[in-house]
Every structure is written in structure tokens, then in C-alpha cells.
């Protein structure tokens, strides 16, 4: 396939599918799903360590950092201040300048808080981070994040973990048309067709977690998502046919058997 | 809890009260982050620490001493999306 690799900041990603590490039935299933997805970037969250049970393997023992670029997130943060500290701790822990900025404004919808996200993005860019903000599918917010200096914008397709698909394809298309940084659809993808639809809109990548992890067979779904992202990307690059209201026959309408001359 | 090695000398030493991941801890004065990790049975890798909302670099764990009222956050990477 004749395509340029995805570049986010100084990072080059061979795969346009970014996947999470949450909600898998086991670390082993997660590892196999990552493999099947063909991904080159995986997300992790940052939390307090348990002081009661500090021993044992950590998530990082199950992630091959020679294969996957780690994208830490600020999930669970509700203010810019919390998100900035979480990002700085993630940078110290993982020795990366990458951060998936997520500042949540509502506990039930998990919709981002745009005001706090913009404030955190400003501070993190100033601090030298490569910032990938999760944001509403709002072209204005996305433009502002680009102006701040974010490396990509990641509008939601639908609420996190909802699996509702790309609820507003028109706003995603507008965001992509106007952005000059990569657009990653983050959240909402429930099945392969959702991923294909996102990619057919022309976005640069898709980030998903629950869509794979909560499938009956996460490893097979990971493979399906890989194919869907590739298929959607190729369809976008190929350029789809125009839509028409009436039929247009694929076979010749002349020299039909039994026709009179 | 207090590192056992030092707690025996409590009588002649002042203590500091700090919170570690939201839990109150009484520690001997002069406890470093490195000593705190050892007392908590935590490895110095696979974690990161902030004291009073400022990240402390790993290289400073053995020189950074805790003061009364310090709020320590010790974090790690967990599964997430």
C-alpha cells in the first residue's frame, strides 16, 4: 500500500491503530491482542501504588518496549493541575515526553473538560511534552489545541467505553479537513466497521481500548480492528465513488437477449 | 509504619508526620525517599515520586529528606486506555 507513515511529533508509527491496556481478562490475552492488532503504540494509566501489596509484577513487565511506544495517559484527572502533575510523574517513570492528555469534566459521560484540557495543554507544551489531547468532537477546541502546540488532536467518536461508534462523522470530517496536525479518533469504536468508518473519514489513526478488550475474543477482535483500520485507510486513499440517488447499471444495457432492433 | 531500624532510637530523635499516598505516616527525622521506599518494601524502579506536587528525580531519592507535613505520592503504571 502506498502510504506515508504516521508521524506524531518526532515519533513515527508504522501502525495507525493505537490500543489500550485496560479491561483485558488477563495480561496474557492483552499481549496476544497487542500482537494481533499490529499496533506500535499502547496506552497506560498512572495510579498510586498500593502500599499494602507492593510486590509482584507490574504492567510494564508485560509490555515489550522494543515493539511498542508507551503513551501514558492522565485518565481520571479532573483539573489541569492534576493532569500536569500526572504527566510529569509519567515522564519520570517512563522516560517519555509523550502524554495522552485527558481531563474529565463529568463522571458519568466521561466527557472532557475543554477549559481544563486547554489550560493543561498550554502548560505541558511549555514544559516540553508531546501532547495528544483527548477532546470533544469540536472543531474550535481542536483548532485551539493545535494553536497551543499539541502534536495531535484526539476527538472522541462516542463516549469512552460506550462502543457507540462514530456518532458525528461530519464534525470529525470537519476537524480533519481543518487540522494540520494528525487527528486520532479516540473512544467510541465498538466494532470493526466503526474503525473503518473513522479511517474512511480521513483521520490519521484510531485509538481504542474497550472495543478490543471487552470483545468475547479480544485477540480476534484485535486482528479485525487491524484489518478495519487498514481497509478504511486504503479506501480513503483510493477515493470512494460518488453517491447517487438512482441506479447505474454495471452491465451493458445494449444487445440484451430477445431485444428487437 | 516507621522503619524498624531507626524507630528504636525514637526517644532521642524527633519524628516527622507525612502522608504517603494519602495515608498518615510517622517517620524519623531525616528519612530520605530511598529509606522510605525500603521501609515500604518498594523497589526504586517501576515507580515515580512526587513530594508536595513536585516530581523528585530518581537520582535524588537518597538525598531528598522528608519534612513535617510533606505529602508524598508514589505512582506506577497500570492498565488503562
Amino acid at each position: 500500500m502506498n502510504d506515508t507513515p504516521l508521524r506524531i511529533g518526532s515519533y513515527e508509527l508504522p501502525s495507525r491503530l493505537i490500543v489500550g491496556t485496560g479491561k483485558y481478562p488477563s495480561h496474557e490475552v492483552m499481549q496476544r491482542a497487542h500482537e494481533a492488532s499490529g499496533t506500535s503504540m499502547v496506552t497506560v494509566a498512572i495510579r498510586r501504588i498500593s502500599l499494602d501489596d507492593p510486590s509482584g509484577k507490574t504492567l510494564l513487565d508485560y509490555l515489550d518496549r522494543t515493539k511498542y511506544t508507551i503513551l501514558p495517559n492522565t485518565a481520571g484527572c479532573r483539573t489541569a493541575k492534576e493532569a500536569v502533575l500526572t504527566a510529569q510523574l509519567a515522564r519520570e517513570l517512563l522516560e517519555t515526553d509523550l502524554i495522552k492528555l485527558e481531563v474529565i469534566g463529568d463522571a458519568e459521560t466521561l466527557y472532557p473538560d475543554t477549559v481544563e484540557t486547554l489550560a493543561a495543554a498550554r502548560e505541558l507544551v511549555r514544559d516540553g511534552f508531546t501532547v495528544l489531547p483527548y477532546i470533544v468532537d469540536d472543531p474550535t477546541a481542536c483548532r485551539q489545541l493545535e494553536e497551543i502546540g499539541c502534536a495531535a488532536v484526539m476527538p472522541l467518536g462516542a463516549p469512552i467505553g460506550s462502543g457507540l461508534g462514530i456518532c458525528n462523522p461530519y464534525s470529525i470530517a470537519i476537524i480533519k479537513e481543518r487540522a494540520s496536525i494528525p487527528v486520532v479518533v479516540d473512544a467510541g469504536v465498538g466494532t470493526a466497521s466503526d474503525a473503518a468508518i473513522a479511517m474512511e473519514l480521513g483521520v490519521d489513526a484510531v485509538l481504542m481500548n474497550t472495543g478490543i478488550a471487552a470483545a468475547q475474543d479480544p485477540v480476534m477482535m484485535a486482528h479485525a480492528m487491524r484489518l478495519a483500520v487498514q481497509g478504511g485507510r486504503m479506501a480513503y486513499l483510493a477515493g470512494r465513488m460518488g453517491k447517487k440517488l438512482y441506479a447505474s447499471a454495471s452491465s451493458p444495457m445494449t444487445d440484451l437477449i430477445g431485444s428487437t432492433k | 509504619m516507621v522503619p524498624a531500624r531507626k524507630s528504636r532510637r525514637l526517644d532521642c530523635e524527633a519524628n516527622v508526620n507525612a502522608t504517603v499516598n494519602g495515608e498518615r505516616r510517622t517517620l524519623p527525622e531525616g528519612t530520605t525517599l530511598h529509606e522510605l521506599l525500603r521501609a515500604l518494601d518498594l523497589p526504586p524502579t517501576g515507580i515515580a515520586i512526587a513530594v508536595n506536587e513536585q516530581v523528585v528525580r530518581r537520582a535524588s531519592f537518597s538525598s531528598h529528606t522528608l519534612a513535617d507535613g510533606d505529602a508524598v505520592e508514589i505512582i506506577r503504571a497500570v492498565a488503562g486506555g
Side-chain angles (χ1 to χ4, degrees), chain A residues 109-201:
Chain A
T109 62
L110 297 180
Y111 257 53
D113 184 318
T114 304
V115 172
E116 293 293 313
T117 302
L118 288 165
R122 239 174 246 120
E123 199 164 332
L124 291 169
V125 167
R126 207 182 299 136
D127 196 7
F129 281 90
T130 297
V131 183
L132 290 74
Y134 162 70
I135 193 67
V136 278
D137 54 349
D138 171 0
T140 302
C142 288
R143 192 199 67 227
Q144 289 167 334
L145 287 164
E146 178 173 343
E147 286 167 0
I148 284 170
C150 291
V153 284
M154 305 209 294
L156 53 81
I160 293 171
S162 69
L164 289 172
I166 312 305
C167 288
N168 196 345
Y170 302 104
S171 57
I172 298 288
I174 290 170
I175 288 165
K176 175 58 201 171
E177 209 168 277
R178 301 177 58 165
S180 49
I181 53 175
V183 176
V184 181
V185 166
D186 178 6
V189 168
T191 189
S193 53
D194 299 333
I197 286 167
M199 294 307 294
E200 285 170 16
L201 290 169

Side-chain angles (χ1 to χ4, degrees), chain A residues 20-22 43-52 54 59-60 73 81 85 88-89 92-93 100 102 207 209, chain B residues 20-23 25 40-42 46-50 53 55-58 73-81:
Chain A
T21 54
T43 62
V44 302
I46 300 297
R47 288 290 179 276
R48 282 174 168 172
I49 199 163
S50 163
L51 301 180
D52 303 324
L59 173 69
L60 296 178
N73 69 31
K81 195 179 162 194
L85 178 59
Q88 290 167 340
L89 281 164
E92 176 66 15
L93 175 67
K100 172 184 160 175
E102 191 176 327
L207 191 162
N209 188 131
Chain B
V20 182
N21 287 1
E23 291 178 24
R25 302 265 165 171
L40 293 169
D41 205 18
L42 291 172
I47 56 120
I49 302 181
E53 299 175 350
V55 173
V56 179
R57 303 299 306 269
R58 193 176 309 283
E73 294 283 346
I74 309 175
I75 62 89
R76 63 182 172 142
V78 300

Side-chain angles (χ1 to χ4, degrees), chain A:
Chain A
M1 185 170 70
N2 197 10
D3 193 2
T4 50
L6 172 60
R7 278 201 181 79
I8 296 178
S10 61
Y11 297 84
E12 192 174 296
L13 301 175
S15 167
R16 291 176 180 271
L17 175 56
I18 303 170
V19 299
T21 54
K23 298 187 187 173
Y24 283 94
S26 69
H27 286 312
E28 288 70 23
V29 171
M30 177 193 78
Q31 284 178 314
R32 286 169 48 221
H34 286 169
E35 190 74 37
S37 74
T39 189
S40 24
M41 181 178 265
V42 300
T43 62
V44 302
I46 300 297
R47 288 290 179 276
R48 282 174 168 172
I49 199 163
S50 163
L51 301 180
D52 303 324
D53 179 26
S55 56
K57 280 186 157 184
T58 73
L59 173 69
L60 296 178
D61 295 317
Y62 296 90
L63 299 176
D64 182 350
R65 295 189 71 176
T66 63
K67 278 192 208 161
Y68 310 119
T69 301
I70 308 282
L71 175 63
N73 69 31
T74 65
C77 292
R78 290 153 302 168
T79 64
K81 195 179 162 194
E82 287 172 8
V84 168
L85 178 59
T86 302
Q88 290 167 340
L89 281 164
R91 176 170 65 185
E92 176 66 15
L93 175 67
L94 299 162
E95 293 167 337
T96 180
D97 64 345
L98 284 164
I99 192 72
K100 172 184 160 175
L101 174 61
E102 191 176 327
V103 189
I104 296 303
D106 182 84
E108 269 181 280
T109 62
L110 297 180
Y111 257 53
D113 184 318
T114 304
V115 172
E116 293 293 313
T117 302
L118 288 165
R122 239 174 246 120
E123 199 164 332
L124 291 169
V125 167
R126 207 182 299 136
D127 196 7
F129 281 90
T130 297
V131 183
L132 290 74
Y134 162 70
I135 193 67
V136 278
D137 54 349
D138 171 0
T140 302
C142 288
R143 192 199 67 227
Q144 289 167 334
L145 287 164
E146 178 173 343
E147 286 167 0
I148 284 170
C150 291
V153 284
M154 305 209 294
L156 53 81
I160 293 171
S162 69
L164 289 172
I166 312 305
C167 288
N168 196 345
Y170 302 104
S171 57
I172 298 288
I174 290 170
I175 288 165
K176 175 58 201 171
E177 209 168 277
R178 301 177 58 165
S180 49
I181 53 175
V183 176
V184 181
V185 166
D186 178 6
V189 168
T191 189
S193 53
D194 299 333
I197 286 167
M199 294 307 294
E200 285 170 16
L201 290 169
V203 302
D204 300 274
V206 177
L207 191 162
M208 65 181 77
N209 188 131
T210 313
I212 293 174
Q216 298 296 307
D217 183 340
V219 180
M220 192 182 290
M221 186 58 92
H223 195 181
M225 292 299 187
R226 173 190 202 155
L227 298 175
V229 167
Q230 284 176 353
R233 178 67 182 172
M234 289 173 80
Y236 167 72
L237 292 173
R240 61 154 297 149
M241 63 163 280
K243 289 184 183 180
K244 286 177 269 202
L245 188 58
Y246 287 94
S248 164
S250 304
S251 306
M253 291 303 283
T254 54
D255 298 325
L256 296 169
I257 294 161
S259 60
T260 49
K261 297 220 169 175

